């Protein structure tokens, strides 16, 4: 390798470090929002990042000559400026009094909208400066586009991996300050003039940034988070802490913590004690479960709990528990007479607490009747085989304990559970009706889908529903319920003042007279409670849902089965009726707000993307004094790539999360793998510059073949290999991501080579970033309402479109560029030649050159 080649690569190391730091800080800000606010508001960070990149691309396109002329000064100053902007922005973010709950209050939401605007105002400068630096490096190395983009992507991939690795050791509120280090180190590797000045500026900026960060107000949990009140009670203490990419876990000791059990109001008359005192485990400020104190588990309350009915109906049951709630669910089942308990805990930290304990909370005591199973609930049911259990019991906190757990209440999961039951066995699913009774109807629709898929003609004969005022239990059996089962459940519920909302043959009207817990219907359109006396909103609609007919709630909500393709549990709102949703914002559950946040981010992303798309209207040709029409293909090509890449990435993350039973590790593996392999693909693209259409066709064939293979065989393959060790599945995720990522890395640099080195180069980069902003909220909304498979279809269409519009011939010399800038001073005068002759991948006759 020549010395010139060494210098070229050395010149790109600062870009590598900048990309590493920027993506790392982006991840750190997302974690901050998840911990201090709510995770769905982290979408704003993605929007702000790409908005900054897109804006910088437009600015550099407009002032391309000025930027190139002052390239030495800019690459000397920008790293230090980024460090200062990142520090000031992060400090302002942590001091922002944004309260998302007040967005749902008609009198307080204007203040919160202003606070959202402040987030943009304080963070946009940092990401604008980062985009300016990257655009500058593209301009100064326009002959080495593939290599430049490769360094950018690989640096971003390493930055994502670094941020995720640091989450194991660094408090989430300190991640951003630590990840400013790569930004400050960038000038150290910058060759040419200005190096020492850049080092000095970066050092001063880094010291100043740390002073700003550590002398200002410390970041803290907002008062609306579940952890805030117990953390601030007298005598409260944090007795254990776990730092991981999947969350920041705190184990609290305070007088408010109790077992999460919905017990009967008649518990005192039954002579049953209430739930015992426990520790409280919180992830990102949200309560995950109760963990036991030292000593044996006190489950005296179990006979009065809502979850106890299946064990009364099936004495001596062999049970599979999905979600063990710190071990209490297993102890409850044994107290209620279960003869054997197999347990699945999908939340990894809860699983570790069961096996090894967590802080002062002890591990689950050894008991020959209890077996802890690896993997997720579907894998456990498949491994068990037919006729294995009398009861399969999903705990009340299972769905909310981990993002990947939503797959445990899909139709595919229900079919696996039903197949693992003995004759007369049952699946027991807990559903919170505290916010909307509609969630119980969605589980019923899912159960119906599973039953009919198994050949059951009348699902209503296989379902019973009973409830308290706050939670419902849905019992689903592969065989029809017998009259003895119906009578036993009614007697059991009556003794505890629980209501039976459905059983075979129920007269809903007559049953209202004997209700213990009124559950009125709510008109979502008017916001009014509709009740003329005792009512049961679930009972009113069960028959219609189980028969597959429309029900009153289906006009305002999605009453549809959850599947692996449409797994989102809290996705009942009909987003097409947006005006009504906005009018009734105050009654929406927090879990449903994420969809509205996505719509807001998508709307602003579309505005940004259209503004960037229109940027060429501001460009001016200066060759003959007349304006020249810009070519149309970049306006289609680069948005298609920005959208397509993210759609495929999000699909792969979701499927890996289901397979690995962990969203965080899936995100880490897929994001890092795709960025690194795409970076390698971009470097390969530089060697294919003479044949852009042929190289693009090869990439398209690989992408389409991969999409077809995933569409046809991915789900079946994953279902058959759910019981494989995590390490094997993780390695296979990387292997699956590698070929498509290499292919996805080809089109973007090939397109940049085609547009040449004029103003269109940074504009194209900005276009890609702007439409990447659109992709994230769009993908979330598509997967919520259409299904994850739609992301693959859209990705295939977008990459096919990009191939069709890419020109056959390589860009000509500057005699015919897209936009002609005024002739600048030589921007490379102080740099080693970015593309020395020994490395020049382009024939001389097709070489583009600076004006």
């Amino acid at each position: 390798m020549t010395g010139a080649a060494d210098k070229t690569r050395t010149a790109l190391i600062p870009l590598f470090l900048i990309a590493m730091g920027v993506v790392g800080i982006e991840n750190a800000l997302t974690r901050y929002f998840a911990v201090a606010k709510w995770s769905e508001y982290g979408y704003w960070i993605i929007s702000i990042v790409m908005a900054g990149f897109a804006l910088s691309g437009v600015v550099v396109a407009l002032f391309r000559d000025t930027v190139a002329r002052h390239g030495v000064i800019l690459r000397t100053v920008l790293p230090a400026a980024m460090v200062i902007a990142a520090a000031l922005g992060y400090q302002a973010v942590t001091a922002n009094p944004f309260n998302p709950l007040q967005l749902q209050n008609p009198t307080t939401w204007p203040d919160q909208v202003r606070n959202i605007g402040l987030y943009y105002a304080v963070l946009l400068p940092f990401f604008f400066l980062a985009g300016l630096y990257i655009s500058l490096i593209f301009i100064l190395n326009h002959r080495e586009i593939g290599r430049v983009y490769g360094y950018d992507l690989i640096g971003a991939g390493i930055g994502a991996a670094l941020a995720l690795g640091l989450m194991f050791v660094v408090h989430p509120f300190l991640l951003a300050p630590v990840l400013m280090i790569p930004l400050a180190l960038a000038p150290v590797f910058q060759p040419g003039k200005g190096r020492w000045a850049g080092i000095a500026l970066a050092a001063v900026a880094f010291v100043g940034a740390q002073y700003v960060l550590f002398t200002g107000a410390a970041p803290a949990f907002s008062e609306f988070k579940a952890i805030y009140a117990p953390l601030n009670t007298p005598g409260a203490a944090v007795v254990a802490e776990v730092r991981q990419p999947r969350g920041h876990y705190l184990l609290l000791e305070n007088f408010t913590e109790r077992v999460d059990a919905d017990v009967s109001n008649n518990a005192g008359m039954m002579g049953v004690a209430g739930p015992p005192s426990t520790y409280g485990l919180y992830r990102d400020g949200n309560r995950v479960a109760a963990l036991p104190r030292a000593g044996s588990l006190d489950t005296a309350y179990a006979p009065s709990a809502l979850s106890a009915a299946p064990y009364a109906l099936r004495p001596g049951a062999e049970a599979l528990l999905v979600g063990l709630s710190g071990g209490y669910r297993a102890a409850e089942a044994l107290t209620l007479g279960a003869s054997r308990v197999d347990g699945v805990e999908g939340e990894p930290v809860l699983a570790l607490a069961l096996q090894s304990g967590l802080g002062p909370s002890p591990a689950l005591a050894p008991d020959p009747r209890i077996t802890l199973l690896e993997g997720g609930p579907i894998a456990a049911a498949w491994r068990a085989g037919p006729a294995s259990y009398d009861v399969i019991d999903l705990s009340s906190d299972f769905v909310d304990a981990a993002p990947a757990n939503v797959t445990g209440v899909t139709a595919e999961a229900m079919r696996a559970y039903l197949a693992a039951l003995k004759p007369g066995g049952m699946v027991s699913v807990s559903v919170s009706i505290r916010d909307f009774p509609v969630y119980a109807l969605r589980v019923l629709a899912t159960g119906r889908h599973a039953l009919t898929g198994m050949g059951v003609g009348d699902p209503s004969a296989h379902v019973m529903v009973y409830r308290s005022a706050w939670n419902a239990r849905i019992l689903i059996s592969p065989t029809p319920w017998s009259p003895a089962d119906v009578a036993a459940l009614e007697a059991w519920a009556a003794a505890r003042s629980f209501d039976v909302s459905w059983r075979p043959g129920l007269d809903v009207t007559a049953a209202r007279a004997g209700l213990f817990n009124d559950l009125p219907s709510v008109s979502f359109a008017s916001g009014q409670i509709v009740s003329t006396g005792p009512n049961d909103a679930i009972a009113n609609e069960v028959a219609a849902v189980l028969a597959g007919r429309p029900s009153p709630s289906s006009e305002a909500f999605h009453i549809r089965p959850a599947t692996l393709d449409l797994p989102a549990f809290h996705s009942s709102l009909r987003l097409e009726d947006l005006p009504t949703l906005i009018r009734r914002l105050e009654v929406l559950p927090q879990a449903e707000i994420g969809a509205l946040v996505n719509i807001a981010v998508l709307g602003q992303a579309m505005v940004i993307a259209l503004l960037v798309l229109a940027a060429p209207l501001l460009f001016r040709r200066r060759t003959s004094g007349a304006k020249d029409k810009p070519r149309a293909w970049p306006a289609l090509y680069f948005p298609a790539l920005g959208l397509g890449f993210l759609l495929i990435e999000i699909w792969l993350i979701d499927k890996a999360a289901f397979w690995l039973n962990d969203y965080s590790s899936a995100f880490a593996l897929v994001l890092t793998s795709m960025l690194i392999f795409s970076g390698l693909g971009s470097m390969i693209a530089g060697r294919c510059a003479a044949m852009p259409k042929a190289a693009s066709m090869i990439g398209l064939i690989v992408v389409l073949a991969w999409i077809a293979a995933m569409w046809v065989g991915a789900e079946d393959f994953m279902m058959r290999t759910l019981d494989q060790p995590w390490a094997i599945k993780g390695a296979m995720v990387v292997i699956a991501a590698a070929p498509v990522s290499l292919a996805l890395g080809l089109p973007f640099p090939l397109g940049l080579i085609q547009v040449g080195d004029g103003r269109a180069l940074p504009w194209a980069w900005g276009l890609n970033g702007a439409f990447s902003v659109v992709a994230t909220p769009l993908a979330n909304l598509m997967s919520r309402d259409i299904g994850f498979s739609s992301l693959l279809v859209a990705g295939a269409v977008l990459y096919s479109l990009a191939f069709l519009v890419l020109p056959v011939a390589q860009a000509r010399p500057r005699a015919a560029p897209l936009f002609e800038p005024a002739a600048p001073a030589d921007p490379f005068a102080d740099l080693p030649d970015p593309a020395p002759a020994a490395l020049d991948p382009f024939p001389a006759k097709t070489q583009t050159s600076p004006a």
Side-chain angles (χ1 to χ4, degrees), residues 244-328:
Q244 290 185 358
R246 64 175 54 91
H248 180 230
Y249 296 81
L250 296 176
L251 187 66
L252 297 191
E253 180 179 17
N254 63 87
F255 70 86
T256 70
E257 307 293 348
R258 294 287 186 276
V259 172
D260 298 312
D262 190 349
V263 298
S264 167
N265 293 331
N266 299 349
M269 293 186 293
M270 296 171 62
V272 175
S277 176
T278 65
Y279 297 111
L281 181 64
Y282 294 79
R283 182 186 64 237
D284 292 347
N286 301 309
R287 199 170 193 269
V288 175
L291 293 188
R293 295 179 180 270
S296 60
L297 295 180
D298 178 5
T299 56
Y301 62 91
S304 68
L306 188 71
S307 56
Y311 304 96
L313 296 179
R314 298 292 179 267
E318 294 183 288
L320 171 64
L321 298 183
V322 180
L324 278 78
S325 305
Y328 277 101

Side-chain angles (χ1 to χ4, degrees), residues 398-636:
F398 172 72
V399 170
D400 294 327
N405 284 1
V406 294
T407 59
V409 287
T410 58
E412 293 86 348
M414 293 287 188
R415 283 198 291 269
Y417 302 152
L418 291 168
L421 290 173
K422 297 178 181 180
M426 71 186 77
V427 179
S428 174
V429 185
S430 177
V431 188
S432 172
I433 54 175
R434 191 180 299 265
D435 294 316
F436 283 158
V438 72
Y439 296 130
L441 301 181
R442 286 205 63 200
V443 173
L444 286 166
T446 303
R448 176 187 181 275
H449 188 69
L451 288 167
T452 55
M454 299 174 64
V456 172
D458 180 15
S460 66
H462 297 249
V463 174
M464 293 196 291
V465 183
Y466 67 102
R467 65 175 180 84
S468 67
W470 311 112
N471 298 282
R473 275 274 170 178
I474 298 173
L475 306 181
I476 306 172
S477 175
T479 55
W481 293 106
S482 68
D485 288 329
V486 171
L489 179 64
E490 289 190 315
W492 182 91
R496 292 159 178 79
S497 297
F498 295 140
D499 296 297
V500 176
S501 294
W502 180 256
R503 58 162 177 79
L506 178 69
D507 184 335
V508 175
T509 303
R512 287 178 185 156
L515 287 176
F516 296 105
N517 305 282
D518 188 27
L519 185 62
S521 299
V522 177
S523 171
F524 193 67
S526 66
Q528 301 298 314
I529 296 176
V530 181
S531 181
T532 57
N535 200 358
D536 190 329
I538 297 175
N540 294 341
E541 303 190 51
V542 173
V545 172
L546 292 178
R549 301 192 309 266
S551 66
S553 290
S554 63
E555 297 179 3
F557 303 101
H558 286 298
I559 312 298
R560 60 189 176 193
T563 66
L564 291 179
D565 196 47
L566 279 165
F569 188 79
H570 298 103
S571 59
S572 64
L573 299 181
R574 290 189 176 275
L575 299 182
E576 61 269 25
D577 194 10
L578 195 58
T580 299
L581 296 181
I582 293 173
R583 287 198 305 272
R584 303 299 169 217
L585 200 61
E586 71 277 4
V587 302
L588 300 184
Q590 178 62 39
E592 297 276 6
I593 295 297
L596 301 185
V597 174
N598 270 289
I599 291 176
V601 172
L602 178 61
Q604 68 183 22
M606 289 296 296
V607 171
I608 293 169
L610 292 174
L611 290 175
V612 175
L613 197 62
L617 298 176
L618 303 175
F619 300 164
R620 296 292 183 269
R621 301 268 327 208
R622 298 175 182 174
T623 50
S624 61
K627 294 182 181 179
D628 189 23
K629 283 187 177 182
R631 288 167 288 176
W633 71 266
L636 293 173

Side-chain angles (χ1 to χ4, degrees), residues 5 38 96 174 194 228 318 533 552 612 638 709 752 771 793 810:
W38 295 93
N96 191 319
L174 298 178
Y228 184 84
E318 294 183 288
V612 175
F638 294 102
L752 291 182
F771 279 87
V793 175
Q810 187 180 337

